[in-house]
Amino acid sequence: MGTFYTDEQIQEAIAAMEAHTPGIFERMKKSASITDPFDDEQEAELGAIVRVLTIVLPKVPFVAQAEDKNESRARLSIDVGDAVRAAIASAKDGS
């Protein structure tokens, strides 16, 4: 699944985000599924998601211990985004 990190590391990051803000992964999937321009409520939801990513991802151990923390966090963000898209695709295939 991951381009930069292992599936276990990505799941660890998602679990940390869920521990911080329960239901955040479902909210991320919902936001990623929107194809029309965001309305004000969806913009606020996107802001909440970005805040969780900004707060939690730097604290994940393999990011916190990385030599280049900003690069590590950016790469993890990409992998989490890929996990969101994979979950959406899997749900579509299963329905």
Side-chain angles (χ1 to χ4, degrees):
M1 178 191 331
T3 301
F4 302 106
Y5 289 100
T6 66
D7 291 351
E8 293 78 21
Q9 288 172 313
I10 296 166
Q11 290 306 313
E12 179 181 343
I14 292 169
M17 291 171 17
E18 282 290 326
H20 183 273
T21 306
I24 192 68
F25 194 71
E26 287 301 317
R27 293 163 63 186
M28 292 171 76
K29 291 190 315 186
K30 183 178 175 186
S31 289
S33 298
I34 297 170
T35 57
D36 296 328
F38 288 168
D39 60 27
D40 289 342
E41 183 179 328
Q42 293 162 334
E43 281 288 338
E45 183 70 8
L46 185 58
I49 291 168
V50 170
R51 277 191 299 280
V52 172
L53 291 169
T54 303
I55 292 167
V56 175
L57 295 188
K59 296 178 184 176
V60 176
F62 51 91
V63 172
Q65 297 168 0
E67 188 173 312
D68 186 340
K69 291 170 184 39
N70 289 327
E71 177 77 14
S72 182
R73 184 175 52 89
R75 289 178 179 224
L76 182 55
S77 294
I78 292 168
D79 280 349
V80 168
D82 289 344
V84 168
R85 286 185 286 283
I88 292 168
S90 177
K92 286 181 182 176
D93 291 344
S95 50

